[in-house]
Amino acid sequence: MHPVALIALLLGLCCVARYLFGFLIAGGAAVALVVGAIEFVTAAFAGFTPAGPVGHLRIDPPAESEDGPDPAYRSYYAGPVLLDYRKVLAQTFGRVWARVVTDRRDVHTGLVVQRSLVRRAWAITRQSGSPYWKVVAVPSAFAATIGLMAGMAGAFALVAVTSVIFGLLLVVMVLAALITAGTTRVAEFGMLYLRGITIECGTCHVRATRPIYRCPTCDAAHRRLVPGRAGVLHRTCRCRTSLPTLLAIGKAKLPAQCAECKALLPVKGLTAPTVHIPVIAGPTAGKSVFMQTSVTRLMVRGDESGGGFEFADEMAKSDFERNVGLGVHNDPSKILKTVVRRPRAYNVFVGREGSRARRLLYLYDPAGETVESVEQLAEAQFLAFTKGVVFVIDPFSLRAVRSASDRTLLRQVSASNTAAKAVLERFVESLRERLPTTRSHRLNLPVAVVLTKADGLVGLPEVGHPYANLGAASIDRAMRAERDAALRTWLSDTNDRRDLVSSLDNNFATVAYFAVSYQDAVEVSPHDLPGGASAVTNDDPAAPLLWLLDRKARR
Amino acid sequence: MSDEQVPHAVIQGRRVAMALLITAMVSTVLLAVWLASWWATRPIVF
């Protein structure tokens, strides 16, 4: 190159270089910035594609085990979201670096599929062999490279700032979810405590403090179905079914098991306070028939008044339906006899769903033989939870009634041979071992004394129906005090030893008396007395249970 | 677990995460614009 030309070129460059190189640096930076932004957005949409790959998230549920973690997927926000974002960042940095600095190569062949911007800038310097071109092109390529590198650094800085903001938003969201779940859980515990809601196993009679919940789809056992790493408000079971972690959002509707004996707990447990009521009587006193008719009446009343009734236990429902199928409402002798084994609770809900008056009733129907045996009563753990007692008396087990009845009638009503007083004494002994007493040494429990087979008394003028000759109270079931006093007097007069009523008064703080019949299972109607005398109406078979549930009646 | 069996919670989580990321991107752009305007309109002391 001629020295004069070189000097002229350099002088010219000095005049325009400031603008030329500035333009190249700014342009390079802008191009790299745009490339970085495009690659980041592309990688973000690819990385957070809803149904995208999940193999890298390591969220697979652990295998089901007796004491290990529950078979649930890890929550997306308990780590996997960061793994997805790490993939987004790795892809962004890799592709921006490849687009700006190094060439993009095919992963299999290693051949260059796209040349980088820096290489393209330097390639311009090789387009001509002229020394004049070199003098202009090399500084320009250098300036463009500086601009590209600065733009790439700027793009990375923007990605870094975005990542910090994204991280903060994630933290705020997870914290909000945790606070919500924590508050809801505390509120749930508080509500359960204030309303006295618990759940007990109807089979092993242990309070279930931590029930095992079963997935309704795959039956997997979830021992700790609470907000946690598997999910705050919901968790995903191994079968991909979403399970709620709080009672208020549906956990109560899941099938639950007792952690001790694995027996099924009542459906929708922990939604209403429980009331445990054993129905006590000797063999063939009419206990099972009373339970069937009282539950029928609860159901009918629930339908009529909208008060609400629901079976909380499939076994109770199938037992009830089987007895209905056998025609127990027309012929009580067809009822299935209670099996002599550890009593299992018969669970029903009484009261409208969602109302504060709703109660989960545990009706225990221990076989008459159980109550006759001190050893078997000693195993009746459910007595510890007892909130009231139904004491069933077969009037045909009383000597005066037996004397007035012929053999046909006694056989017809399946008269019990066991003395009610003896059954009461053994039962009271077991209760005193488990429950505290008042200052007067009485058990602070309400007892509903139920005289069954009242229909059989209608045809016995010698002893008479307890509610006969009561005037308006013979028919009007609302006149509870008169009917209660009449039945109490009838029992005292009819019993050969008057100490049954005294024993009830001495042992229990509250006692009420009811006369019921299987004939009133569907509708409670007056029964004509023989000889054209006035009619009597028995008590509603559900009345003893409802009286125990509200415990408003007092003697 | 195969990639075809994506749990619903992950699908929902990714949608929410994407929404958060877009919010973060927009916030970054707004922050950059605000910084640029603040720099451009800064008082010059001679």
Side-chain angles (χ1 to χ4, degrees), chain A residues 535-551:
Chain A
V536 290
T537 309
N538 295 317
D539 286 309
D540 186 336
L545 297 179
L546 294 172
W547 177 81
L548 287 171
L549 285 176
D550 64 22
R551 283 185 285 170

Side-chain angles (χ1 to χ4, degrees), chain A residues 52-55 60 76-77 84 162, chain B residues 1 3 9 11 13-14 16-17 21 28:
Chain A
V54 289
D60 290 357
Y76 184 68
Y77 295 105
D84 259 349
T162 305
Chain B
M1 187 181 68
D3 287 341
I11 291 175
R14 279 178 167 162
V16 174
L21 189 55
T28 306

